[in-house]
Amino acid sequence: MRSHTLVPRLLLLGSLTLTAACSSGASEPSGKAPTDARPDSSSSAVETVDPSKIKGLNIVNDNSERKSCPFATSYPDVPGAQAMTAAMKKDVRGRLAAFRSGACTAGAGRAEGRDLNISHQFLVASGDVLGVRLITQDHGAAGSGLSTRTYWYDGKAGAYRTALGLVATGSRNAFIAALKDQLQGREGVDAGTLHDAFAGRRDRTAVLDDMAFTADGGLRVEFDGGEVGTPAAGSYVVTLSKKAITPWLSAFGLRAQRQTVRPGGPLDLGAPHVPDPAVPTHTASGDDGTDCKKVKCIALTFDDGPAAPETAILLTSLARYKARVTFFTIGQNVAAHPDLVRAEARAGHEIGNHSWNHPDLTRLTPEQIASQLNRTSAAIKAATGQAPTVFRPPYGALNETVRSATTMSPVLWNVDTEDWKYPDAAKVAQIVVGKARPNAVVLMHDIHATSVEAVPEILRILTARAYRFVTVSHLRATL
Ligand code: ZN
């Protein structure tokens, strides 16, 4: 039996580094890392938890690889919390549909300046409480393009809760009055917008859609740009102390607060027992002696994973042919499935860095780029013991700022299989085999079941044509 003690909680750092919003007045700058924030801001810091201990966790990824319509969305699917997963799925799909129709339809031309990114953080995952935040960054949208929402699941009641569900129904007026009190007088906030923001019952749920507890039991409420102040002022954060908020919490809110301050063991939402997915245990036999000057080499690369169960299935196929490949992994997926990344490394594959949550790095500041890459390298190192030496920028978007933000070497590709386009394994295999040539770096994705399903056929045919499957760094080193 595996132990399920909650591992040390990770400070909320990386995902919010996409934050462009500038909070005004006395509010905490949204997304600012606690470590470099003001000394007194520790009380408003929200911590995130390690997702790798959540049994049966599946991260649902949907990434476009087209520069003309770049988007990357993710949300977690936790066994037992189906109603919450459905709510996140609905929101993500709605935002993606709006983005695609606005930015990516034939009539709209190129999505110049647009890039939709939805990433996630686990706020609480212990006992019967699950809390997740989705962070949406729509570059090029009106205002900062940043919006955040928290989703809660009450395992005791077997019910999905919105953020406002943390506060008892009878205490909501007093709660809102306290929030207004804190917001009043801040730059960009006036009485009119404040009144309108909380006017109707429906509005309240939409405006008060991001709440989470701080490490010391206070409640942190985040308002997206334009919700309570002028859009130009960006987002606002209000933190109510534990003493102030506790009398107003619902029964679920009290449990969520307790599980945040003092996590009480593994998450148990009453889902039927899910056996741990098998992780392949292939071990590479020493260094790869292939000399690509003398034999026909090819470097297959798999982006955007790891994903369960796809990556595990892929590893088994690769082992059968003694093929070595390169995985360009997404940090938030590495955090969810470190065991799969460990299995990749153990089997002799190369692990590369593909950013934390797949933004177009060329749109970010040098600090944000460094955070995206460093945080991912740290997750890979924690899983495998070794930091990566190569990275692949999402969408292949690379410029001088990105290059100089890291010492890792960039790796693009020269064969694009567009495997994400075809939900048909036979077709994917046919395309890859058709485009294969000596010393090619081939782009594929192990988040797509059809791509993974195509791999045995690709390996079979290319092996028959005397190809050797090597990692990108091996190809570079021996050419
Ligand atoms: Zn990618």
Side-chain angles (χ1 to χ4, degrees):
M1 185 76 187
R2 241 171 47 175
S3 117
H4 289 287
T5 47
L6 211 72
V7 298
R9 298 154 67 79
L10 310 165
L11 283 177
L12 164 61
L13 293 172
S15 299
L16 277 180
T17 53
L18 284 177
T19 302
C22 51
S23 306
S24 58
S27 64
E28 172 202 62
S30 173
K32 186 127 190 187
T35 44
D36 60 10
R38 299 180 309 275
D40 65 346
S41 70
S42 59
S43 63
S44 63
V46 171
E47 296 180 333
T48 60
V49 297
D50 179 350
S52 70
K53 302 295 173 193
I54 301 173
K55 262 180 121 53
L57 169 65
N58 177 28
I59 306 295
V60 183
N61 289 288
D62 187 6
N63 297 348
S64 150
E65 300 299 332
R66 281 188 293 156
K67 266 188 189 169
S68 61
C69 182
F71 64 81
T73 66
S74 74
Y75 62 89
D77 179 358
V78 177
Q82 286 85 345
M84 179 175 135
T85 308
M88 290 189 285
K89 182 178 179 177
K90 183 166 172 268
D91 288 352
V92 168
R93 288 206 165 172
R95 287 171 187 270
L96 187 54
F99 174 78
R100 292 180 101 149
S101 67
C104 307
T105 51
R110 273 176 57 84
E112 211 56 70
R114 297 289 296 270
D115 170 21
L116 179 74
N117 190 282
I118 303 180
S119 58
H120 64 272
Q121 294 169 333
F122 287 92
L123 303 167
V124 181
S126 58
D128 55 13
V129 179
L130 176 65
V132 170
R133 172 182 284 122
L134 294 191
I135 303 133
T136 301
Q137 178 75 66
D138 184 350
H139 285 282
S144 69
L146 175 78
S147 64
T148 59
R149 181 174 293 182
T150 58
Y151 301 77
W152 295 88
Y153 195 81
D154 177 349
K156 190 175 177 191
Y160 160 59
R161 310 274 186 210
T162 62
L164 199 51
L166 297 170
V167 179
T169 317
S171 302
R172 288 181 188 168
N173 287 340
F175 169 63
I176 287 168
L179 293 176
K180 282 182 171 174
D181 225 40
Q182 296 250 352
L183 287 163
Q184 217 116 43
R186 287 200 194 170
E187 205 181 317
V189 178
D190 64 50
T193 45
L194 257 191
H195 175 266
D196 292 350
F198 299 105
R201 192 175 281 267
R202 264 184 69 129
D203 293 348
R204 289 178 172 191
T205 313
V207 171
L208 295 165
D209 67 351
D210 185 312
M211 299 192 210
F213 292 98
T214 61
D216 59 5
L219 188 72
R220 180 187 183 278
V221 185
E222 181 161 343
F223 300 94
D224 295 336
E227 282 184 336
V228 294
T230 57
S235 59
Y236 291 84
V237 171
V238 172
T239 304
L240 300 178
S241 69
K242 181 180 182 184
K243 192 164 168 244
I245 191 63
T246 302
W248 295 332
L249 293 177
S250 63
F252 173 65
L254 286 167
R255 278 188 286 125
Q257 183 190 42
R258 204 161 46 236
Q259 291 293 352
T260 306
V261 176
R262 198 166 303 170
L267 179 70
D268 182 5
L269 300 179
H273 177 71
V274 187
D276 287 330
V279 173
T281 54
H282 315 290
T283 306
S285 48
D287 286 342
D288 184 1
T290 311
D291 184 349
C292 297
K293 276 197 209 70
K294 295 185 179 146
V295 297
K296 207 154 71 167
C297 287
I298 191 164
L300 300 181
T301 66
F302 293 89
D303 289 12
D304 297 5
E310 288 81 5
T311 305
I313 297 168
L314 173 59
L315 284 171
T316 302
S317 303
L318 294 170
R320 202 166 295 145
Y321 285 86
K322 295 195 173 13
R324 300 203 197 205
V325 303
T326 306
F327 291 96
F328 287 98
T329 56
I330 293 289
Q332 63 181 2
N333 292 343
V334 176
H337 301 297
D339 48 348
L340 287 175
V341 182
R342 204 157 28 244
E344 290 172 352
R346 196 170 45 218
H349 303 297
E350 180 166 23
I351 319 296
N353 184 323
H354 196 40
S355 81
W356 184 261
N357 56 14
H358 212 278
D360 177 342
L361 296 176
T362 62
R363 295 175 196 279
L364 306 185
T365 65
E367 293 73 28
Q368 290 170 327
I369 298 166
S371 168
Q372 281 280 334
L373 296 176
N374 294 345
R375 200 177 171 205
T376 303
S377 288
I380 293 170
K381 190 170 181 193
T384 67
Q386 258 197 318
T389 59
V390 290
F391 80 105
R392 173 171 285 165
Y395 315 106
L398 189 60
N399 63 14
E400 252 336 287
T401 316
V402 175
R403 282 178 195 275
S404 54
T406 177
T407 54
M408 287 184 290
S409 173
V411 175
L412 298 179
W413 58 88
N414 46 33
V415 171
D416 187 354
T417 62
E418 298 193 304
D419 58 331
W420 46 273
K421 250 191 200 171
Y422 310 102
D424 176 349
K427 173 96 180 157
V428 172
Q430 189 195 347
I431 289 171
V432 175
V433 167
K435 287 185 167 183
R437 58 176 194 267
N439 303 328
V441 176
V442 181
L443 171 63
M444 295 183 72
H445 299 85
D446 58 328
I447 55 169
H448 300 302
T450 40
S451 301
V452 168
E453 211 185 307
V455 165
E457 181 71 352
I458 293 166
L459 297 176
R460 188 183 66 78
I461 296 176
L462 294 183
T463 299
R465 293 184 191 170
Y467 275 99
R468 304 287 288 272
F469 306 96
V470 298
T471 67
V472 165
S473 289
H474 186 86
L475 184 68
R476 285 180 165 184
T478 65
L479 271 189

